[in-house]
Amino acid sequence: MTTAQEARAAEVDRRLSAAEHAAAERHAGLSETVRHSFARLRGGLERAHTRSDTVDEREWADYVTQLDRGLDEMHIELGRAAEHPDAGPEAAKVLTTHASKLELDGWRLQFTVLDADARARLAASEAELASYRAGDRPAADDLERSLDQLRAAAAPR
């Protein structure tokens, strides 16, 4: 018998797999970057969804709708980046930005079940994402470090 958490994880994985496959197929020259970004996103969302069974059906449905929109936006922006003469770095930035936002949305879904430390780290990660997106941080290192701290703070104890 499948638990609600397992069913929700499978639902998200299907969506991520479809989006990853479509992006890697459409942008074959960027497929390694696409696969790496989706692997990080998948791992982050697996951690973020460890308490997904505590989220009611309406909130979950809204979250999944938002996830689909975010994946669509990522796909559109990746297409634009692929047209850039130096597509590799542009695509990596687009993927990092969108994957990070989608992961943070996954953590936000459980905002009410996270402790104060995890909520503070969520806010710090959101600030790092905004700085990275705005170009204030040329490398994604600070963003990745803040996501790692969030993951650690919100890990089941």
Side-chain angles (χ1 to χ4, degrees), residues 70-143:
L71 291 170
D72 289 345
E73 289 171 12
M74 179 192 291
H75 188 72
I76 291 166
E77 286 196 36
L78 182 59
R80 288 184 194 131
E83 295 172 359
H84 194 274
D86 193 12
E90 281 295 313
K93 183 169 184 172
V94 164
L95 289 165
T96 296
T97 300
H98 282 277
S100 297
K101 183 190 178 311
L102 292 172
E103 181 178 345
L104 290 172
D105 289 345
W107 288 109
R108 184 184 327 293
L109 176 67
Q110 297 180 58
F111 191 83
T112 58
V113 297
L114 297 175
D115 64 25
D117 183 45
R119 287 191 300 270
R121 293 192 190 282
L122 175 62
S125 292
E126 290 171 333
E128 284 298 334
L129 174 59
S131 292
Y132 180 73
R133 179 177 269 166
D136 297 338
R137 304 254 195 292
D141 296 345
D142 291 335
L143 173 59

Side-chain angles (χ1 to χ4, degrees), residues 3 9 16 29 40-41 45 52 58-59 81 89 105 110-111 113 117 122 129 134 146:
T3 67
L16 293 179
R40 285 184 50 243
L41 174 58
L45 287 179
S52 67
R58 184 191 57 72
E59 286 177 300
D105 289 345
Q110 297 180 58
F111 191 83
V113 297
D117 183 45
L122 175 62
L129 174 59
S146 72

Side-chain angles (χ1 to χ4, degrees), residues 135-155:
D136 297 338
R137 304 254 195 292
D141 296 345
D142 291 335
L143 173 59
E144 186 59 34
R145 196 169 13 268
S146 72
L147 285 167
D148 285 343
Q149 291 171 352
L150 172 65
R151 293 169 188 138

